Structure formats: structure tokens, C-alpha cells
Amino acid sequence: MEADGGPPSSEAPDDRSQRGSIASSAALTRGQDVVIYLVGDFAPVPLMVEGLGVVSVQELARDVRQALRIPEAAQDAFALWLCSPLLELQLKPRHQPYKLCRQWQDLLYRFTQASAEDISQDEPCLQYRRNVFYPKSKELLVEDEGVLRLLYEEARGNILSDRYPCDPDHWTGLGALALALDEGPDLDTQTLAAVLKEKKLVSFLPASVAYGAGGLLSTLRGRGGRQAALEHKLLDGYRKTCCSGASDTPALLHQYLGTCHALPYYGSAFFSGEIDRPAQGLLQRGRRKAVSVGISLEGVYVMDVKEKHVLLGLLFSQLSWDHSYPEEEGDSHVLWLEFDGDEDGTAVNKLLKIYSKQAELMSGLIEFCVELSSPSGGVASAAAQDGAGGEEAAPRPEEEEPGKGRGGRRGRLSRQDSVVCSRVQNLSTISYVDTGKEIKRLKPRRAASFFARQNTAPAYATVQVGDGLEQG
């Protein structure tokens, strides 16, 4: 989730004690202690803040940059986030963290499915982490080791927690680089084996790889051969890394981040949601699959939470989208994604329904990113470079502009046996053709065909969702 609503996630940003990061006191106009947390093993940044009740994110971020000695050239690489195990929000410079903390339970009720008990016990913390709107091209130019280390720790955490799904060649190389950064590039085989025995593979490889599909108990039962094979692969990657010539810390950090840049969802804001499972019989109709939705400056990526792979990845030029509000009690907010597809050799349009309380936030973030990438997006881009957190966390229905332009198209999606590539065949979608001929009795109302836009300059058109659509 972004801005007043940054990327919500089911994963806690840090398991260390982060509760109560903002001191509460009646005398908010006097100096108060504020603690800003960093991703990874860095010590928190303590600040003394005057007028806590009205201090802005822009003022706090300036103090954090000074405390961390962030160079001016990289000051827009990071933003302040309000985080808890239930919700993560990237804040805009004008926001006032104290007031948002006072509204935290309302935000949780509005944007999460958490129980009343969990909401009552949840408490946010302020965290200084990567700005969703910081381009990867700028990140490649960073030379300051402190900034590189902050970016590296966040990327590494997302790799280890499986937030960034990756293939074996990626996680092997990243694990080897992490090992070299932790222990140095010149360790012999015996010392490395001792390090892995002490720190465990989960310190360097994604949890799904280190523990296996069956989790920790499965790993303990079949530890011998599988663990030995993973250790051998990691050690072999370490030797190749050391022989590559990149032995100094900045070079290793650049190499790690550069490898992460190959993942299309690197730097994304993440949201939680559900999609319909493909019907496989009467007994399995109506079931849903938990997904994580990553939205970056380039596109949208829908990932299977359980299987740790991408179900659908689309550039903004390859999709149209819209958000629909619940019509009746018990209905869900829905983010609709429209894209090109194929049905028994016939070119069709496909609609994917993502059920989520954060659908309006996803829609707002997509629209903002589209505006940034448009020729007229210079003003919005300047605001983002200034550390803006994107769209409002809670845009209200009456503030929406109906019919605001969205949509577009590029070439067909490539399909590979990779966790990074789309698996449209595993999705339950609504399919229809541009001529009006219905496939599976499904056809939304629309002003123009998605295919008719493919040979024109990029233009964005709202997907109008018709009444009574059935899932195919």
C-alpha cells in the first residue's frame, strides 16, 4: 500500500521490539523521544522532536538523513513508512505520523481482514526504508557504502522471506554474495562449512528453499542429502564470486542489488488479496487462493503466496484496470486487471478479479505510476522524487474521477518455466472477444476494444465492470 496507504503485507518488517516507536505524552509541544527503525540489523535512530503532534514526515526524514549522513544525491532513495505486522504504509512528506498513529486502528479495520483482537493489540512503528518511487536506474549510480548497505539489507530480507520469488540461479548467486559480505571473500572451505553449520542455510537462502516445501519438520526429517546439496551449491557459488574479482564491499553490494534488479518486482509496494481458483468440479467452486500483489514503477505482479511464484506479470502498457466497491454487505472490494489472452487459438481479452480491502489503494498506486511514466508526468515525477508516497491511503469514492483514462497494450507475454514468468493457465479469468461474441457468457461493458488500442499511442481507458458477471 502506498502513501497514506503503503504496501500492506502479512509479514512483519522486523521481529525485534518495535512497539511504541512514537512516545505518547500530553505535552506534545515539548521535546519528545522518537525512534526510527531501519531494515535489517541496524541500530534504531533515536531523535528528539519538538512539537511531536504536528511534526511532518518531511521534517522527520530530514533529521534521519542527517543522523545517517545520507548524501544529498541519494536523499530520495528512502522514505518513512508506518509499519506493523498487519499493515505497511509509505508516508508522504506532508503527513503527520503522530496523527496517523492515532488513526491506526481505523486504518486496520478499513484495509485489513484482521480480527478485532489482533487490531486492538497491533501497534505501528516508524521505519526508514526504500522509496517505492526510486528508479532502479538511479540506484545503480549510488556510490555511498552506507546507502548501498541499507538498500542491500532490505533486498536481502525480501529474498530470505520469499517476498521476492526467484529461480535457483538467482538465489544461489545472491546467497553466495551474502555469504561473502558477511564473512569476507577469502575463507577456505573448512571455515565456510563451519560458518554454515553455525548460521544455518536460512541465513543465506530463501526460507522456502532452506526449509523445503514441507517446512522445518520436513527439513529435519530429510536433512542429510538435501541440506548437503544446498550447502555444496552455496559454497560453489561463493568460490565463483571470489574468483570474479569483485572482492571489495561496495562492489559486492552493487552486484547483489544488480542481481535483484533482474527481478521485475524489485522495489515494489506489496498488497494482500485473493483470487478465484479455477473450477475443478462442483465441490471446489467458490474457493479462493491467497495472493500477494506487487506494484512497481513498471507494472503489476500477482504472486502465489503458497507456491512462491508469479501467476501474472504485466507492464502498465499491457493492461487496463479498475476498482469496484462492494454493492452489498459481505461483498468485497475488487481490483480488475484486463490483459490479452488466448482461448483455444482465439485472441481474447481476459479479466482477473483480485478481491482485497486494499483494492482502491492498488488502483490509486497504479494510476499514479502510469502518470509518472506518461509524457505529461513531469510534475508528478518531481513530487515523487521529493519523497512523496504516491496516492492517498484512503481515497474516498466521491473523490474518484469516473472514466479517468487507463489501459494500454504491448506485445504478448513470454512464457517460461521460471518463478518470475506468468502462469495464466493457472488463473480463473473472465474471457471475451473484441467483436462482442461472448465466451462463457461473459462480456463487460466498455467504450472501446482493448485490441483496437494496440496500434495507437498509449491511452488508458477504464474497464467498466458489468452486472451479473459469472466466473468462467
Side-chain angles (χ1 to χ4, degrees):
M1 208 184 302
E2 234 289 328
D4 279 337
S9 168
S10 58
E11 300 175 26
D14 198 332
D15 289 332
R16 291 172 313 214
S17 177
Q18 294 184 338
R19 298 181 177 274
S21 64
I22 298 183
S24 59
S25 172
L28 294 177
T29 57
R30 298 198 301 267
Q32 298 293 328
D33 292 325
V34 175
V35 177
I36 310 295
Y37 290 90
L38 305 175
V39 179
D41 296 327
F42 294 102
V45 180
L47 299 175
M48 177 64 70
V49 178
E50 300 286 341
L52 178 60
V54 295
V55 70
S56 68
V57 166
Q58 186 174 23
E59 294 169 303
L60 280 180
R62 180 194 61 214
D63 293 342
V64 175
R65 288 196 300 269
Q66 291 175 353
L68 296 175
R69 298 180 181 178
I70 303 293
E72 185 176 351
Q75 65 177 2
D76 56 346
F78 303 98
L80 279 177
W81 294 64
L82 202 55
C83 303
S84 82
L86 300 180
L87 189 61
E88 301 177 1
L89 316 175
Q90 180 174 317
L91 307 180
K92 284 185 175 180
R94 62 176 173 78
H95 288 153
Q96 296 175 342
Y98 180 80
K99 292 182 179 179
L100 287 177
C101 285
R102 297 291 297 271
Q103 301 168 6
W104 189 247
Q105 289 193 3
D106 293 335
L107 292 172
L108 294 180
Y109 276 113
R110 185 168 185 179
F111 297 121
T112 76
Q113 300 284 357
S115 66
E117 181 180 359
D118 288 340
I119 288 176
S120 66
Q121 295 177 0
D122 194 63
E123 193 172 336
C125 72
L126 277 172
Q127 197 171 49
Y128 192 66
R129 51 195 272 194
R130 193 184 190 280
N131 181 4
V132 170
F133 301 110
Y134 192 63
K136 289 186 283 189
S137 57
K138 278 196 168 185
E139 189 172 293
L140 292 172
L141 303 177
V142 173
E143 298 293 340
D144 184 84
E145 186 174 332
V147 174
L148 290 172
R149 179 68 72 169
L150 287 170
L151 293 168
Y152 158 76
E153 288 290 348
E154 183 169 348
R156 180 179 178 179
N158 286 330
I159 292 292
L160 296 182
S161 65
D162 286 301
R163 175 171 271 189
Y164 292 166
C166 53
D167 292 316
D169 56 338
H170 277 114
W171 54 250
T172 300
L174 292 171
L177 287 167
L179 184 56
L181 283 163
D182 281 5
E183 306 299 330
D186 302 316
L187 298 184
D188 57 49
T189 302
Q190 185 176 359
T191 306
L192 283 173
V195 168
L196 290 180
K197 184 176 181 181
E198 177 185 355
K199 289 193 171 183
K200 311 298 182 186
L201 287 173
V202 74
S203 299
F204 305 102
L205 301 179
S208 60
V209 175
Y211 291 142
L216 179 59
L217 292 179
S218 174
T219 301
L220 293 175
R221 286 195 298 268
R223 178 177 177 83
R226 185 175 182 279
Q227 293 292 101
L230 288 174
E231 289 178 5
H232 176 76
K233 185 175 291 189
L234 189 58
L235 293 175
D236 187 51
Y238 175 85
R239 295 188 193 97
K240 291 179 180 178
T241 297
C242 297
C243 294
S244 67
S247 59
D248 62 303
T249 298
L252 292 172
L253 292 171
H254 269 295
Q255 193 172 340
Y256 192 100
L257 293 172
T259 304
C260 288
H261 288 185
L263 304 173
Y265 30 79
Y266 173 79
S268 293
F270 286 89
F271 303 77
S272 59
E274 294 180 321
I275 61 174
D276 292 303
R277 291 178 180 270
Q280 297 178 345
L282 292 177
L283 296 179
Q284 293 192 6
R285 287 185 177 273
R287 297 178 61 191
R288 293 180 181 175
K289 177 195 296 284
V291 295
S292 173
V293 182
I295 300 176
S296 72
L297 286 174
E298 291 83 29
V300 180
Y301 305 90
V302 182
M303 289 166 272
D304 190 314
V305 170
K306 181 179 179 181
E307 300 298 332
K308 315 298 183 188
H309 60 218
V310 173
L311 293 168
L312 180 66
L314 297 168
L315 299 177
F316 292 129
S317 58
Q318 295 173 315
L319 63 86
S320 296
W321 84 100
D322 204 1
H323 158 239
S324 58
Y325 291 86
E327 295 184 357
E328 299 178 1
E329 186 176 354
D331 289 350
S332 300
H333 287 263
V334 174
L335 179 73
W336 299 82
L337 297 180
E338 181 197 41
F339 58 97
D340 292 356
D342 181 273
E343 197 81 29
D344 297 326
T346 301
V348 298
N349 296 52
K350 287 182 175 288
L351 279 173
L352 176 66
K353 295 173 66 175
I354 302 176
Y355 306 91
S356 175
K357 277 193 168 184
Q358 296 147 18
E360 59 179 317
L361 303 170
M362 290 187 264
S363 179
L365 180 54
I366 292 172
E367 184 167 354
F368 189 78
C369 290
V370 167
E371 290 174 356
L372 287 181
S373 62
S374 68
S376 60
V379 175
S381 179
Q385 296 301 329
D386 198 31
E391 297 304 299
E392 296 291 336
R396 300 188 179 278
E398 59 269 22
E399 296 173 350
E400 295 290 320
E401 299 180 35
K404 199 155 190 175
R406 341 196 215 252
R409 185 182 186 278
R410 199 174 280 180
R412 297 284 179 184
L413 302 177
S414 60
R415 309 284 180 241
Q416 303 178 43
D417 185 18
S418 166
V419 299
V420 175
C421 292
S422 298
R423 291 162 171 76
V424 179
Q425 70 277 9
N426 295 346
L427 297 174
S428 176
T429 59
I430 299 168
S431 300
Y432 64 98
V433 296
D434 61 326
T435 62
K437 179 182 177 182
E438 293 186 357
I439 297 179
K440 302 181 182 178
R441 305 180 309 238
L442 304 170
K443 186 177 185 302
R445 295 193 304 270
R446 56 187 299 109
S449 165
F450 191 62
F451 289 100
R453 297 194 295 270
Q454 61 181 313
N455 295 322
T456 62
Y460 297 91
T462 303
V463 178
Q464 299 293 337
V465 181
D467 296 331
L469 288 180
E470 299 179 15
Q471 200 67 25

